[in-house]
PDB file of all heavy atoms in Angstrom:
ATOM      1  N   PRO N 109      82.953 128.718  87.965  1.00 98.00           N
ATOM      2  CA  PRO N 109      84.094 128.409  87.116  1.00 98.00           C
ATOM      3  C   PRO N 109      84.731 129.702  86.644  1.00 98.00           C
ATOM      4  O   PRO N 109      84.036 130.694  86.381  1.00 98.00           O
ATOM      5  CB  PRO N 109      83.421 127.688  85.921  1.00 98.00           C
ATOM      6  CG  PRO N 109      82.158 127.141  86.455  1.00 98.00           C
ATOM      7  CD  PRO N 109      81.714 128.072  87.517  1.00 98.00           C
ATOM      8  N   LYS N 110      86.071 129.702  86.474  1.00 98.00           N
ATOM      9  CA  LYS N 110      86.771 130.923  86.135  1.00 98.00           C
ATOM     10  C   LYS N 110      86.254 131.574  84.831  1.00 98.00           C
ATOM     11  O   LYS N 110      86.154 132.780  84.711  1.00 98.00           O
ATOM     12  CB  LYS N 110      88.265 130.637  86.021  1.00 98.00           C
ATOM     13  CG  LYS N 110      89.122 131.871  86.161  1.00 98.00           C
ATOM     14  CD  LYS N 110      90.586 131.577  85.870  1.00 98.00           C
ATOM     15  CE  LYS N 110      91.360 131.536  87.168  1.00 98.00           C
ATOM     16  NZ  LYS N 110      92.843 131.477  86.917  1.00 98.00           N
ATOM     17  N   GLY N 111      85.905 130.731  83.875  1.00 98.00           N
ATOM     18  CA  GLY N 111      85.431 131.239  82.585  1.00 98.00           C
ATOM     19  C   GLY N 111      84.149 132.061  82.693  1.00 98.00           C
ATOM     20  O   GLY N 111      83.842 132.839  81.790  1.00 98.00           O
ATOM     21  N   MET N 112      83.432 131.918  83.791  1.00 98.00           N
ATOM     22  CA  MET N 112      82.197 132.708  83.995  1.00 98.00           C
ATOM     23  C   MET N 112      82.462 134.094  84.533  1.00 98.00           C
ATOM     24  O   MET N 112      81.541 134.873  84.725  1.00 98.00           O
ATOM     25  CB  MET N 112      81.262 131.950  84.942  1.00 98.00           C
ATOM     26  CG  MET N 112      80.596 130.748  84.302  1.00 98.00           C
ATOM     27  SD  MET N 112      79.662 129.770  85.505  1.00 98.00           S
ATOM     28  CE  MET N 112      78.431 130.915  86.094  1.00 98.00           C
ATOM     29  N   TYR N 113      83.714 134.396  84.781  1.00 97.00           N
ATOM     30  CA  TYR N 113      84.021 135.723  85.353  1.00 97.00           C
ATOM     31  C   TYR N 113      83.771 136.823  84.319  1.00 97.00           C
ATOM     32  O   TYR N 113      84.185 136.714  83.189  1.00 97.00           O
ATOM     33  CB  TYR N 113      85.501 135.750  85.809  1.00 97.00           C
ATOM     34  CG  TYR N 113      85.744 136.861  86.811  1.00 97.00           C
ATOM     35  CD1 TYR N 113      85.581 136.648  88.139  1.00 97.00           C
ATOM     36  CD2 TYR N 113      86.147 138.127  86.359  1.00 97.00           C
ATOM     37  CE1 TYR N 113      85.789 137.684  89.092  1.00 97.00           C
ATOM     38  CE2 TYR N 113      86.376 139.155  87.247  1.00 97.00           C
ATOM     39  CZ  TYR N 113      86.193 138.915  88.614  1.00 97.00           C
ATOM     40  OH  TYR N 113      86.397 139.961  89.494  1.00 97.00           O
ATOM     41  N   ASN N 114      83.114 137.874  84.759  1.00 97.00           N
ATOM     42  CA  ASN N 114      82.766 138.988  83.882  1.00 97.00           C
ATOM     43  C   ASN N 114      83.873 140.033  83.966  1.00 97.00           C
ATOM     44  O   ASN N 114      84.047 140.692  84.970  1.00 97.00           O
ATOM     45  CB  ASN N 114      81.424 139.544  84.349  1.00 97.00           C
ATOM     46  CG  ASN N 114      81.008 140.738  83.505  1.00 97.00           C
ATOM     47  OD1 ASN N 114      81.549 140.991  82.437  1.00 97.00           O
ATOM     48  ND2 ASN N 114      80.008 141.485  83.998  1.00 97.00           N
ATOM     49  N   VAL N 115      84.619 140.196  82.869  1.00 97.00           N
ATOM     50  CA  VAL N 115      85.665 141.196  82.872  1.00 97.00           C
ATOM     51  C   VAL N 115      85.206 142.534  82.284  1.00 97.00           C
ATOM     52  O   VAL N 115      85.960 143.506  82.218  1.00 97.00           O
ATOM     53  CB  VAL N 115      86.947 140.754  82.076  1.00 97.00           C
ATOM     54  CG1 VAL N 115      87.619 139.593  82.801  1.00 97.00           C
ATOM     55  CG2 VAL N 115      86.608 140.352  80.639  1.00 97.00           C
ATOM     56  N   GLY N 116      83.958 142.560  81.866  1.00 98.00           N
ATOM     57  CA  GLY N 116      83.400 143.778  81.267  1.00 98.00           C
ATOM     58  C   GLY N 116      83.285 144.880  82.316  1.00 98.00           C
ATOM     59  O   GLY N 116      83.257 144.627  83.514  1.00 98.00           O
ATOM     60  N   LEU N 117      83.203 146.139  81.811  1.00 97.00           N
ATOM     61  CA  LEU N 117      83.053 147.257  82.730  1.00 97.00           C
ATOM     62  C   LEU N 117      81.708 147.958  82.441  1.00 97.00           C
ATOM     63  O   LEU N 117      80.968 148.262  83.364  1.00 97.00           O
ATOM     64  CB  LEU N 117      84.207 148.259  82.561  1.00 97.00           C
ATOM     65  CG  LEU N 117      85.566 147.748  83.058  1.00 97.00           C
ATOM     66  CD1 LEU N 117      86.683 148.679  82.636  1.00 97.00           C
ATOM     67  CD2 LEU N 117      85.574 147.601  84.585  1.00 97.00           C
ATOM     68  N   THR N 118      81.425 148.172  81.129  1.00 97.00           N
ATOM     69  CA  THR N 118      80.162 148.814  80.817  1.00 97.00           C
ATOM     70  C   THR N 118      79.203 147.828  80.162  1.00 97.00           C
ATOM     71  O   THR N 118      78.094 148.176  79.755  1.00 97.00           O
ATOM     72  CB  THR N 118      80.406 149.928  79.781  1.00 97.00           C
ATOM     73  OG1 THR N 118      80.971 149.353  78.609  1.00 97.00           O
ATOM     74  CG2 THR N 118      81.342 150.990  80.344  1.00 97.00           C
TER      75      THR N 118
END
Side-chain angles (χ1 to χ4, degrees):
K110 199 186 256 190
M112 285 172 62
Y113 199 89
N114 179 13
V115 292
L117 291 170
T118 61

